[in-house]
Amino acid sequence: MRYETIIGFETHVELKTESKLFCDCPVRYEAPPNSEVCPVCTGQPGALPVLNRRAVEFSIKAGLALNCRVNPNARFARKNYFYPDLPKGYQISQYERPFCENGHLEILGDDGQPYPVGIKRIHLEEDAGKLVHSADAYEAADYSLVDYNRACVPLLEIVTDHTQNPLRSLNEARRYLEKLRQMLQYIEISDCVIEKGQFRCDVNISIRPEGGADYGNRSEIKNMASFRYMMDALDYEVKRQRRLLASGKWPVQETRLFDEKKKITLPMRSKEDAPDYRYFPDPDLTEIHIDEAFVARVRDTMPELPDQKLDRIIQYGIPRADALILTRDRAVSGFFEECALHCSEHRKIANWIIKDLFRLLNEHALSISACPFLPRDFADLINYVVQDKITDAIARTVLEEMFQTGEAPRTIIGRKGIKLIRDPGELEKICSEVIEEQAEAASRVRDGSTEPVNFLIGQVMKKTRGGANPKKIREILQRRLMT
Ligand code: ZN
Ligand code: MN
């Protein structure tokens, strides 16, 4: 019998609001432990939550970007469980009426066709604090400390729908996560920095006979904090379950732990179901009415989304593969478009960004928003190349210097004494000079020797201080001496 894989995600995203979800403590990642806390977010008796309006706007914004239905009457619920990072003994979350439901996110399916992955729900909840163990390995730790700065930071949970176009392979899973992260960054509700815990995933995997309607027992792997680990864990888990089925056994429903060193998953506990949490509506928070006007206001703040941006970049004449790279990060596509205002060779701009600018940014571990020079100056540099005023090689050294100093290319070219070739006639003139000065080499070329050609090109380059294109020089010399 053939089996198929079904993969589901519960993605937790920390929203970039200024203050926490139910109190006015600031959200600051670098703050000293337990410095951004108050009676509300440490769950002290009598403290009452007050909902952060901005967090609700962000949730609706995510819902609209993911084609969801917005619930006109949403509610918060208490999810009861005990853990030291959860001071109240319950998490304020949403259960029966989340902010958004029944959406989809379109990715490229494994068959090369657009594939709208079902989104079951998007709900808003509070994050828990952070446990810091006294040793790297949890088992080796003598004690743990808890930092409540993160407690009550707004957390958006996005859940895929395993009954509506579920993810069917590791590749689709990866494309879903990348697209989701890109989308949330585009709409500016989260930075989604994985290393900072701003984008965390629980992933569940089940296997069923191909074309079957039933879903096998799911195993869930919690809190995967890197894409690579997630893919390793998924890969292992899919193989493990297939092996089990092949030997005639059914996988059990359970939560498993990924061992990052051994790259295997291990059983942790049997998975809890919703009844275990004793959800009930939070009596401290009333029902939230979200009217059309509110949704319309949020819709007005919606920027261009990744797919629209991609279409538009392609219209600049950029090949799709390059356009995909340029739109991965909205700031990069912004940089490109700014350049395109000043330079009409759009493909050249794209090439220079993807090859040379990315290399420099990588070397200095900078994001494009920290790029030391202006898009306008970058476009000017490319204009020099396009108009054959300087060579690619020279442009590259100028670019390095722009990166160091943030200066305009004109300034750097002036300081280095690079002689710009202003028009083709000028280059012809310099070539004539060199032919005159190097009469012997020139006559050898006239007599059919090709060997001195490079020498003559070198002489012309010297006179222009590298400012001319060697290919152009060769053309001129060949025309003058070899025909
Ligand atoms: Zn607080
Ligand atoms: Mn959750």
Side-chain angles (χ1 to χ4, degrees):
M1 189 181 299
R2 292 170 59 86
Y3 295 102
E4 61 185 356
T5 305
I6 308 285
I7 297 168
F9 283 106
E10 290 171 16
T11 308
H12 287 92
V13 179
E14 275 189 356
L15 298 181
K16 54 173 173 185
T17 52
E18 276 170 38
S19 55
K20 294 185 179 183
L21 185 51
F22 298 118
C23 60
D24 59 5
C25 292
V27 176
R28 281 207 302 139
Y29 287 88
E30 344 51 53
N34 295 310
S35 61
E36 307 290 11
V37 295
C38 74
V40 174
C41 54
T42 50
Q44 290 170 41
L48 287 171
V50 177
L51 179 58
N52 181 334
R53 185 189 178 93
R54 181 49 63 87
V56 179
E57 284 171 22
F58 282 3
S59 308
I60 305 298
K61 205 171 177 185
L64 294 175
L66 299 176
N67 309 292
C68 290
R69 186 181 74 84
V70 175
N71 218 326
N73 298 298
R75 267 229 85 142
F76 282 99
R78 292 187 181 180
K79 178 179 180 179
N80 299 280
Y81 68 97
F82 172 77
Y83 208 65
D85 63 8
L86 187 71
K88 293 193 293 291
Y90 60 86
Q91 179 192 32
I92 303 180
S93 180
Q94 296 189 290
Y95 185 55
E96 279 165 345
R97 278 178 280 149
F99 282 124
C100 309
E101 289 175 285
N102 299 331
H104 65 264
L105 175 63
E106 189 175 288
I107 64 163
L108 196 68
D110 282 346
D111 52 5
Q113 296 303 309
Y115 186 66
V117 178
I119 304 286
K120 188 174 172 197
R121 56 187 276 139
I122 300 176
H123 71 247
L124 184 59
E125 60 190 26
E126 56 182 344
D127 206 346
K130 203 172 5 195
L131 286 177
V132 184
H133 308 302
S134 69
D136 276 349
Y138 172 67
E139 301 78 16
D142 296 325
Y143 62 89
S144 301
L145 298 169
V146 60
D147 175 7
Y148 288 118
N149 282 350
R150 206 181 66 179
C152 204
V153 167
L155 201 59
L156 199 64
E157 181 172 331
I158 300 155
V159 184
T160 55
D161 187 343
H162 65 279
T163 66
Q164 291 297 322
N165 289 345
L167 298 161
R168 303 160 293 188
S169 71
L170 259 64
N171 280 330
E172 287 185 353
R174 183 188 299 114
R175 283 197 288 270
Y176 167 78
L177 289 178
E178 283 169 355
K179 185 78 176 274
L180 179 62
R181 184 157 168 264
Q182 181 194 34
M183 185 69 95
L184 300 172
Q185 285 172 336
Y186 262 67
I187 62 174
E188 292 179 313
I189 63 168
S190 172
D191 292 328
C192 297
V193 177
I194 297 169
E195 297 74 29
K196 289 188 184 169
Q198 294 168 345
F199 188 93
R200 320 195 289 265
C201 291
D202 301 342
V203 52
N204 55 66
I205 306 111
S206 66
I207 308 265
R208 68 177 177 193
E210 203 169 80
D214 272 1
Y215 293 88
N217 282 328
R218 290 188 293 169
S219 67
E220 185 173 52
I221 310 167
K222 287 238 177 235
N223 256 329
M224 308 278 351
S226 98
F227 275 21
R228 225 198 50 229
Y229 287 156
M230 205 141 26
M231 291 306 134
D232 287 346
L234 269 174
D235 186 42
Y236 177 86
E237 194 52 26
V238 167
K239 286 179 183 146
R240 185 187 71 87
Q241 292 194 19
R242 282 175 184 262
R243 258 199 319 273
L244 265 181
L245 284 170
S247 67
K249 294 185 205 121
W250 277 99
V252 294
Q253 175 146 325
E254 63 183 351
T255 299
R256 296 178 70 87
L257 199 74
F258 181 59
D259 184 321
E260 290 158 6
K261 290 206 181 75
K262 294 187 194 140
K263 297 197 188 313
I264 60 171
T265 66
L266 298 163
M268 191 159 88
R269 56 169 188 251
S270 68
K271 187 178 161 30
E272 53 291 276
D273 266 330
D276 298 332
Y277 290 120
R278 305 245 157 193
Y279 282 96
F280 64 88
D282 192 311
D284 289 341
L285 290 153
T286 55
E287 196 174 76
I288 301 133
H289 300 286
I290 296 167
D291 57 23
E292 286 291 338
F294 186 84
V295 176
R297 272 202 305 281
V298 174
R299 190 174 275 124
D300 282 345
T301 67
M302 198 72 97
E304 200 174 28
L305 299 180
D307 287 345
Q308 300 165 314
K309 184 71 110 188
L310 179 69
D311 285 345
R312 232 158 41 70
I313 298 290
I314 288 172
Q315 276 165 21
Y316 279 96
I318 307 301
R320 191 183 172 83
D322 288 347
L324 275 167
I325 298 172
L326 291 176
T327 52
R328 214 177 277 158
D329 175 351
R330 193 173 146 207
V332 171
S333 57
F335 190 95
F336 167 83
E337 288 186 279
E338 186 75 33
C339 290
L341 292 176
H342 304 287
C343 171
S344 54
E345 292 281 329
H346 301 147
R347 286 179 80 146
K348 262 243 154 51
I349 302 172
N351 289 338
W352 274 81
I353 290 178
I354 292 169
K355 261 180 62 193
D356 298 279
L357 183 55
F358 280 1
R359 180 179 53 79
L360 283 168
L361 289 170
N362 266 334
E363 278 170 17
H364 296 80
L366 290 179
S367 71
I368 194 138
S369 48
C371 179
F373 51 78
L374 300 169
R376 201 206 159 107
D377 290 335
F378 189 68
D380 281 345
L381 181 69
I382 295 166
N383 278 327
Y384 282 123
V385 177
V386 171
Q387 293 158 16
D388 274 325
K389 288 182 175 170
I390 56 174
T391 62
D392 278 26
I394 293 288
R396 253 172 227 120
T397 62
V398 173
L399 184 63
E400 302 256 354
E401 194 130 342
M402 286 166 70
F403 213 85
Q404 302 296 335
T405 63
E407 291 169 315
R410 179 192 311 275
T411 315
I412 295 165
I413 288 168
R415 191 176 53 239
K416 285 179 160 268
I418 296 166
K419 195 165 181 302
L420 296 182
I421 304 302
R422 271 167 233 291
D423 63 88
E426 196 171 337
L427 190 57
E428 296 271 353
K429 220 178 83 203
I430 295 170
C431 287
S432 302
E433 281 169 30
V434 168
I435 290 171
E436 234 168 80
E437 287 162 18
Q438 308 293 341
E440 202 211 310
S443 74
R444 278 170 56 207
V445 177
R446 281 202 188 90
D447 293 343
S449 166
T450 53
E451 187 241 308
V453 172
N454 283 340
F455 166 76
L456 291 173
I457 294 173
Q459 293 301 308
V460 178
M461 295 281 281
K462 213 157 140 195
K463 274 188 180 268
T464 60
R465 300 216 194 191
N469 183 341
K471 228 167 68 196
K472 274 265 150 63
I473 303 173
R474 181 181 295 274
E475 275 168 31
I476 295 174
L477 291 174
Q478 279 177 341
R479 177 157 42 73
R480 295 285 190 84
L481 301 172
M482 293 162 87
T483 51

